[in-house]
Amino acid sequence: MTYPPGPGPQGHNYPPPPPQPYSTGSDQFSALPKRSPALKWVLLGVVVLVAIVVAAGAVFYLARDRGATEASQVKSGDCLTEIPDSSRVLYVKTVSCDQPHKGEVFAVLPLPDGDFPGDAAVVKYADKCAPALTQYAPNANSESGIQLFVLYPTADSWQRGDRSVTCIATSKNPRTGKIG
């Protein structure tokens, strides 16, 4: 049996070879397509925008916390804009006492060095704040709305060097000037 010329079951051209999608003649590999210059500008714009947002956030954060003082570093006579509302206080915001404020530090009572004495002993030591207020401002106890707020070390803050009980006279409404 004979087959007509061309591809056939026994011819060398059957089945035909698959097309070569990447071949462009003698060059086997072609260069990657070039990126559009517009894409480069868009990416640069995104990077600049992210940098601006991060910088603005940092400026806002630093401006907001201006006047923040480590709670263990306040001293007698410092005034606080707000009274902390949590049991773990790391920073307080201090202001000049002629500015509106809600608290005034009137005593910082150092605890004896050594190992952490325990929460009960620290709280008992904080009982010295009431007599210290009478000594600092004798008429403060007769003023309505004056209350005591105490910052004291915890086992964690003790390890970081916090060794004092801080006594603060507070008022519900902001006040200006020193107590007493």
Side-chain angles (χ1 to χ4, degrees):
M1 172 176 218
T2 61
Y3 291 99
Q10 294 175 350
H12 295 286
N13 293 335
Y14 189 80
Q20 300 295 318
Y22 301 108
S23 125
T24 58
S26 65
D27 185 17
Q28 209 173 28
F29 300 101
S30 63
L32 294 173
K34 291 185 178 183
R35 290 193 178 141
S36 162
L39 179 62
K40 290 179 185 177
W41 285 109
V42 168
L43 290 174
L44 180 63
V46 168
V47 168
V48 168
L49 183 62
V50 168
I52 289 171
V53 168
V54 168
V59 166
F60 176 75
Y61 176 78
L62 292 173
R64 182 181 60 102
D65 286 341
R66 185 170 293 151
T69 303
E70 195 171 333
S72 63
Q73 300 299 314
V74 294
K75 56 191 176 309
S76 184
D78 286 349
C79 289
L80 311 178
T81 58
E82 292 292 327
I83 301 305
D85 58 359
S86 82
S87 61
R88 302 239 176 214
V89 179
L90 296 176
Y91 292 92
V92 293
K93 190 168 183 180
T94 58
V95 293
S96 170
C97 291
D98 61 355
Q99 299 293 315
H101 59 275
K102 289 189 175 181
E104 182 177 338
V105 177
F106 62 87
V108 178
L109 309 172
L111 289 158
D113 280 334
D115 293 335
F116 181 66
D119 290 329
V122 171
V123 170
K124 181 135 180 74
Y125 199 80
D127 289 342
K128 295 181 179 189
C129 286
L133 177 60
T134 302
Q135 189 175 28
Y136 181 81
N139 297 328
N141 287 329
S142 62
E143 281 190 51
S144 66
I146 298 290
Q147 297 179 332
L148 290 180
F149 183 80
V150 179
L151 295 175
Y152 52 86
T154 63
D156 291 336
S157 69
W158 189 271
Q159 290 177 346
R160 291 188 305 272
D162 184 8
R163 300 282 192 282
S164 58
V165 170
T166 304
C167 308
I168 303 167
T170 67
S171 58
K172 184 176 183 178
N173 297 319
R175 60 183 291 144
T176 57
K178 298 262 186 187
I179 59 173

